[in-house]
Amino acid sequence: MIYKYHFCEKTITIEIDEADHEVLIALDREEYNSNRRHSRRYPLSLDNILFEGDEFSDGTDVFADLMRSHDEEAVRNTIRQLLPRQQELIFKVFYCQRSLVSIANEEGVSEAAIRNRLKKIYASMKKLLV
């Protein structure tokens, strides 16, 4: 059986046996249902308000501020110094442009937890760039 993994900019096709295919389809269905339950319970998503991945409700664009005050290579080197989980979160938010809601659902945490992680990452990056 053929199964397709969809990533932010890329799709990978793999061949698996029928039992594994059924498990993956069941997991996809469970994720879809969970996302629907969440969107019905919390109809206002972060996509509809000021936070667009790098902009907080006070209008501060943290990532753009870092890029303006430092060259791109310095910011990339700083990102490489972060923990792997932090690097992955930066990648999901800025490069894949995923909403905090979808990341929170994927990790089983609240949106606020993801927002707090980002604030800590920004603080670490500012310290490393100084």
Side-chain angles (χ1 to χ4, degrees):
M1 306 256 356
I2 300 294
Y3 186 79
K4 293 181 180 181
Y5 282 104
H6 301 282
F7 298 100
C8 55
E9 294 181 5
K10 179 169 139 177
T11 299
I12 297 175
T13 304
I14 61 170
E15 192 169 329
I16 56 176
D17 62 29
E18 191 171 334
D20 291 337
H21 187 265
E22 290 175 14
V23 170
L24 288 173
I25 296 299
L27 289 172
D28 288 344
R29 192 175 313 113
E30 183 179 325
E31 179 182 15
Y32 172 80
N33 289 337
S34 175
N35 288 340
R36 276 192 54 97
R37 276 192 306 275
H38 183 78
S39 64
R40 279 195 310 265
R41 186 174 297 141
Y42 307 104
L44 179 65
S45 75
L46 289 176
D47 294 332
N48 298 330
I49 57 178
L50 275 177
F51 191 86
E52 289 290 333
D54 59 347
E55 198 171 284
F56 289 96
S57 59
D58 65 357
T60 305
D61 187 345
V62 179
F63 200 70
D65 288 346
L66 284 172
M67 293 301 286
R68 273 192 299 275
S69 61
H70 298 85
D71 65 77
E72 187 175 335
E73 189 59 33
V75 174
R76 286 187 179 165
N77 287 335
T78 303
I79 291 173
R80 287 185 197 111
Q81 294 177 37
L82 297 172
L83 297 172
R85 267 184 92 190
Q86 292 173 328
Q87 291 177 17
E88 183 180 343
L89 182 57
I90 290 289
F91 179 79
K92 288 177 182 178
V93 172
F94 293 103
Y95 296 101
C96 296
Q97 297 182 340
R98 292 188 47 203
S99 70
L100 295 187
V101 174
S102 69
I103 296 170
N105 284 341
E106 177 183 300
E107 295 189 14
V109 298
S110 68
E111 300 162 36
I114 299 298
R115 191 176 299 119
N116 288 335
R117 289 179 193 174
L118 284 171
K119 287 180 183 179
K120 289 178 183 176
I121 291 170
Y122 299 145
S124 297
M125 289 179 71
K126 284 183 180 181
K127 287 179 187 175
L128 292 169
L129 283 168
V130 172

